Amino acid sequence: MDALIQAFGLVFDPYVLAVIGASAVFGMFVGAMPGLTATMATALLVPVTFFMSPVPALGAIVTATAMAIFAGDIPGAMLRMPGTPASAAYTDESYAMTQKGQLNLNLGVNLVFSVAGGLVGVAVLIACAPLLAEVAINFSSYEYFWLALLGLTCAVFMTNADPVKGFLSLFIGLLLASVGIDPAAGYPRFTFGDVNLMSGINFVPTLIGMFAVSELMRGAVSLDGTGRVVVQQVGNIFRGVGAVFRRYWFNFLRGSLLGTAIGALPGAGADIAAWISYAVSKRFSKEPEKFGTGHVEGIVDSTSANNSALGGAWIPALVFGIPGDSITAIVIGVLYMKGMNPGPTVFTENPQLIYAVFLIFILANIIMLPLGWAAIKSARQILRVPRNLLLPIILLFCLVGSFAMTNSLYGVALMLVMGIFGWFLEEHGIPVAPLILGLVLGEMLEQTFVQSMIKSDGAVLEFFARPIAGVLGVATILIWVVMIGRGIQRSMAPRAA
């Protein structure tokens, strides 16, 4: 109890509250700008935290990250340009809702369910941190291999397009993920002698190109001389959200818990949580045919998942000192810099610090509601700027974001090439979402497969020997069997008729 009282005193200090408020505004801005990421927001805050004590330093990072993950939904809904990679999974769905005249409901659902999902993630973090971390620490290369394969299998559920085109897009993503150094032999692959390609195809410039630049190209083609306004709808973003919650409360709980569990797995994070949650939502929906046409169900699942995953990612970071994602990897560095080693001992030596983190998470999600509302209203006013002025400004942010991720013109060139390629694919009816998923999970799939084969000396049955790996493996194979069976059944139906 004394530690909790100390934590309240640490968090509700005027200086700490001022830091949290400033970080919230900064995170909202970074997340709402296409091309800038939550990880970038965290990295930019690190030099500032040099001059802070541990609580305000952690408060700045936690708050900015939570705000950036939500704010990434705003340009996704308005412009089909995800502000952060965590919003990419449902950007097409979100933008389709906007095209149907449901922008207010779309952004209201994103805001409310982001706040609620974040609070669920915090609740699980508080209640189950040691238990979930113990499960996560038991994951070996076998479990991660099946998890990656299961995530790739979800690609077939994410698109309403021709399954063949969906798989083609997925395989292109896997091919792009293989560029760089071979994890087994250490030999460069598909680099064509370019040193920049030895580090692989950078994810963020590719994401910016595939979604933002390709959309800018479509917008440039459709420009007219009148300077058409992008967004004009103004209204109450909270109207109708209650009805959505009453109808899809189970989706909210499922997405939040799934996101927390995935976030607790080291290396997974909010991006993968959103992709998998969206695919699960479509797989078990009573109306799967509506996905891709502006259906709010998938958005409820995935926007709850990516925000709850933030709390989940702190579980292995605090309990075992193992980063759950790139953001908590930075946090661990900050903790070491402050002379505080994350791990089991932090719960006994500095319990007030743990309670302070919990309180900051709760506070950040609560203030997200009014600040998110203000950000949405501000974004609408900004997006009233004529397209012939707005598109170059957005392109400038894309260029800055791509350059910042690689610190070279390679990121800019990669973004432009991927933008043209993404535009070409979509013009021919090939979805880009499976490609992004393949690029995200491809490296994990290959590395864990190579590690597992080396450990098992080529024995395939070893992939099923561990309990969790066996369950994941059997589940993945069963999904394949069901998918193939349904495909054969559909192909046989016309012949029988």
Side-chain angles (χ1 to χ4, degrees):
M1 185 58 69
D2 290 340
L4 183 59
I5 295 173
Q6 290 179 31
F8 269 98
L10 290 171
V11 172
F12 289 93
D13 178 87
Y15 171 68
V16 175
L17 292 176
V19 169
I20 289 175
S23 302
V25 175
F26 172 71
M28 280 288 181
F29 172 78
V30 172
M33 293 297 106
L36 307 182
T37 68
T39 304
M40 185 185 298
T42 305
L44 292 174
L45 283 174
V46 170
V48 181
T49 62
F50 287 159
F51 309 100
M52 297 179 183
S53 57
V55 172
L58 293 174
I61 293 174
V62 168
T63 308
T65 304
M67 299 299 166
I69 293 294
F70 156 70
D73 298 340
I74 299 175
M78 293 182 172
L79 298 170
R80 195 180 169 268
M81 301 174 187
T84 64
S87 303
Y90 50 99
T91 292
D92 286 336
E93 195 78 62
S94 192
Y95 187 65
M97 280 190 70
T98 300
Q99 290 179 312
K100 290 166 62 176
Q102 297 178 336
L103 176 65
N104 292 321
L105 178 62
N106 182 1
L107 291 175
V109 166
N110 273 311
L111 176 56
V112 172
F113 283 90
S114 292
V115 173
L119 290 174
V120 170
V122 177
V124 175
L125 171 64
I126 295 172
C128 306
L131 177 63
L132 286 178
E134 187 176 347
V135 174
I137 200 67
N138 287 327
F139 266 52
S140 68
S141 60
Y142 299 108
E143 285 81 7
Y144 277 112
F145 169 76
W146 287 117
L147 185 66
L149 209 54
L150 186 61
L152 292 173
T153 305
C154 293
V156 74
F157 302 127
M158 292 191 311
T159 176
N160 289 330
D162 182 351
V164 175
K165 292 182 178 179
F167 278 116
L168 174 61
S169 177
L170 176 64
F171 290 141
I172 292 174
L174 291 173
L175 176 63
L176 293 175
S178 68
V179 174
I181 301 295
D182 183 339
Y187 191 80
R189 300 178 304 191
F190 310 117
T191 58
F192 306 102
D194 191 326
V195 175
N196 292 309
L197 290 176
M198 293 181 70
S199 61
I201 300 295
N202 193 285
F203 171 62
V204 173
T206 302
L207 177 70
I208 296 171
M210 286 286 178
F211 281 100
V213 175
S214 62
E215 191 65 28
L216 288 174
M217 292 176 64
R218 273 185 290 274
V221 169
S222 63
L223 273 179
D224 52 37
T226 61
R228 179 166 55 90
V229 173
V230 178
V231 176
Q232 294 183 353
Q233 302 97 320
V234 177
N236 182 4
I237 64 170
F238 299 111
R239 182 181 297 135
V241 175
V244 172
F245 185 84
R246 286 190 296 272
R247 182 174 182 183
Y248 297 116
W249 62 270
F250 180 76
N251 296 71
F252 158 69
L253 288 177
R254 180 178 62 195
S256 299
L257 295 176
L258 182 61
T260 306
I262 293 174
L265 301 176
D271 310 352
I272 296 175
W275 285 106
I276 294 179
S277 186
Y278 181 82
V280 169
S281 179
K282 183 177 179 181
R283 173 65 184 83
F284 293 102
S285 173
K286 296 178 181 178
E287 303 170 310
E289 70 281 356
K290 292 186 178 181
F291 280 67
T293 64
H295 189 43
V296 73
E297 184 177 359
I299 296 175
V300 169
D301 273 87
S302 39
T303 199
S304 302
N306 61 14
N307 283 271
S308 64
L310 291 179
W314 280 69
I315 294 172
L318 289 178
V319 179
F320 290 101
I322 299 173
D325 57 8
S326 55
I327 294 169
T328 47
I330 297 174
V331 169
I332 289 174
V334 171
L335 288 175
Y336 277 118
M337 182 180 67
K338 301 296 180 184
M340 305 184 71
N341 300 338
T345 56
V346 78
F347 283 83
T348 55
E349 296 178 359
N350 297 285
Q352 69 278 5
L353 175 65
I354 302 299
Y355 289 131
V357 170
F358 295 159
L359 291 174
I360 291 168
F361 260 109
I362 295 171
L363 187 60
N365 281 282
I366 291 174
I367 65 174
M368 186 191 298
L369 202 60
L371 280 178
W373 176 85
I376 290 170
K377 293 294 184 181
S378 302
R380 281 180 175 161
Q381 298 306 316
I382 293 172
L383 294 175
R384 283 177 172 271
V385 177
R387 286 175 70 94
N388 52 7
L389 297 177
L390 183 64
L391 296 184
I393 295 173
I394 295 174
L395 179 60
L396 179 62
F397 277 109
C398 294
L399 292 171
V400 171
S402 298
F403 182 86
M405 292 308 297
T406 60
N407 203 28
S408 69
L409 290 177
Y410 160 68
V412 177
L414 179 63
M415 177 199 72
L416 296 174
V417 170
M418 289 300 173
I420 297 172
F421 185 49
W423 174 80
F424 173 80
L425 291 177
E426 294 197 321
E427 287 296 305
H428 289 81
I430 300 175
V432 299
L435 184 152
I436 297 296
L437 183 63
L439 185 60
V440 169
L441 293 178
E443 182 179 359
M444 179 193 292
L445 180 73
E446 182 183 14
Q447 288 185 352
T448 54
F449 176 74
V450 171
Q451 290 170 5
S452 300
M453 290 297 288
I454 292 174
K455 288 193 295 186
S456 66
D457 198 21
V460 178
L461 291 179
E462 286 295 316
F463 282 77
F464 300 89
R466 295 165 59 90
I468 300 177
V471 171
L472 290 173
V474 170
T476 304
I477 293 173
L478 284 177
I479 292 175
W480 291 351
V481 171
V482 171
M483 287 166 47
I484 295 172
R486 288 185 177 178
I488 295 174
Q489 187 179 12
R490 281 195 296 266
S491 63
M492 296 290 289
R495 297 180 185 178

